[in-house]
Amino acid sequence: MKSRQLLANIPSTARLWITLSAILVGFLACQSINRTVLTVPQTAGAEFVGSEDCLLCHEDVGHNFSTTAHARLMVDEDTGLELGCESCHGPGSLHSMEGEGRHLIHNPRRNAETCLQCHMDVQGQLALPHSHPVAGGQVTCVDCHDPHGDSDAELMADGILMPEMASCTECHPAQSGPFVFEHEAGRDGCTVCHDPHGSVNAKMLKVGNANLCLQCHFTEQRSNALMIGGVDHTGFGFIQQGTCWTAGCHEAVHGSHVNGSLRF
């Protein structure tokens, strides 16, 4: 009864829009799609030949490819053509006939746009103030990711397909160690603290202040003392001086050779 009274008080035009919106929401909710939709790179005059043709020469690359999500990409339900390799590399008939015709096939290593047409969330992250220079071509997706991964689990796990530390330290060797006094966070990988696709914070940090460290380092409030790692951090205003790594306390955040408190 109350709901009817409420509806009666709503203008007829508003009721019409509410009804139409409800129908639209219901229609969209009933729609589903069982394939990935993408714009496949094109090569003039080339036709799709299927992944089996690719594997005749690239057996090493395709050994475990069939178990990944990339292998299940297709053009449409009508043809049922499973693109697999060609969903990212484009139609391969001319390349296959040429043998070594690299110019007749698309290579995502040279152009990140092939990856970003599907991974649009990453495209947004790369536009943030601090990110890897993918747009400038200095870094590409496959420098860190292996699109021919062993399984869907590897394909989806934090987006990191190559061993994480290995892929990061290829470009950042100074952070790889070994250190006399290591930062335990490094055992879990760089993405514990950094967002590799982009961040609003300098150094691509997930958090730009001391809260980044306090996610792991236990804090305890004792009367007027803030205890972090068993040390009183209130006496000299440590926290007020800046972040843990800029306040002159723990500058060697990746590890130190001289101090267990991660100092230079």
Side-chain angles (χ1 to χ4, degrees):
M1 182 64 70
K2 289 183 178 180
S3 60
R4 289 181 180 178
Q5 292 175 346
L6 290 173
L7 288 173
N9 294 330
I10 299 176
S12 58
T13 303
R15 289 202 300 271
L16 176 61
W17 280 111
I18 292 173
T19 302
L20 290 175
S21 298
I23 293 173
L24 179 61
V25 170
F27 175 77
L28 294 175
C30 292
Q31 303 306 301
S32 63
I33 190 166
N34 60 4
R35 66 187 188 278
T36 301
V37 178
L38 72 159
T39 302
V40 179
Q42 295 296 317
T43 299
E47 297 179 352
F48 295 105
V49 294
S51 296
E52 290 186 3
D53 191 86
C54 304
L55 296 179
L56 294 175
C57 296
H58 302 284
E59 185 178 2
D60 56 333
V61 174
H63 179 65
N64 296 305
F65 181 60
S66 61
T67 63
T68 70
H70 283 161
R72 293 192 294 274
L73 298 172
M74 62 178 63
V75 180
D76 55 52
E77 291 179 339
D78 296 331
T79 63
L81 178 62
E82 294 187 4
L83 293 182
C85 308
E86 293 168 298
S87 61
C88 298
H89 296 285
S93 61
L94 296 180
H95 171 75
S96 180
M97 288 187 292
E98 185 78 12
E100 291 295 325
R102 294 188 178 185
H103 62 291
L104 296 173
I105 202 75
H106 290 265
N107 186 349
R109 179 178 290 278
R110 296 192 294 265
N111 186 358
E113 291 302 317
T114 303
C115 305
L116 296 179
Q117 67 164 328
C118 290
H119 301 281
M120 290 181 287
D121 56 330
V122 175
Q123 187 173 24
Q125 288 180 282
L126 292 172
L128 292 174
H130 303 278
S131 65
H132 279 112
V134 173
Q138 296 171 267
V139 178
T140 64
C141 304
V142 295
D143 288 331
C144 302
H145 301 277
D146 179 6
H148 312 114
D150 289 340
S151 65
D152 281 353
E154 287 192 6
L155 198 64
M156 300 302 294
D158 293 330
I160 301 297
L161 306 186
M162 293 173 63
E164 183 188 323
M165 287 294 289
S167 60
C168 298
T169 55
E170 281 186 9
C171 296
H172 305 281
Q175 284 72 34
S176 64
F179 299 103
V180 176
F181 302 98
E182 69 171 354
H183 188 182
E184 290 86 347
R187 300 175 188 174
D188 296 322
C190 307
T191 54
V192 171
C193 299
H194 301 274
D195 192 325
H197 292 125
S199 171
V200 296
N201 304 306
K203 308 295 185 182
M204 291 185 284
L205 292 171
K206 290 184 173 180
V207 182
N209 55 34
N211 286 317
L212 179 67
C213 303
L214 298 180
Q215 293 177 107
C216 295
H217 295 278
F218 178 72
T219 62
E220 181 182 3
Q221 188 74 43
R222 296 181 185 173
S223 60
N224 294 324
L226 176 63
M227 306 299 293
I228 303 177
V231 178
D232 184 2
H233 280 64
T234 56
F236 298 96
F238 291 143
I239 297 297
Q240 290 76 11
Q241 292 179 39
T243 63
C244 306
W245 58 93
T246 62
C249 299
H250 310 287
E251 312 99 319
V253 290
H254 297 103
S256 172
H257 293 297
V258 298
N259 190 286
S261 296
L262 301 184
R263 305 196 66 175
F264 289 128

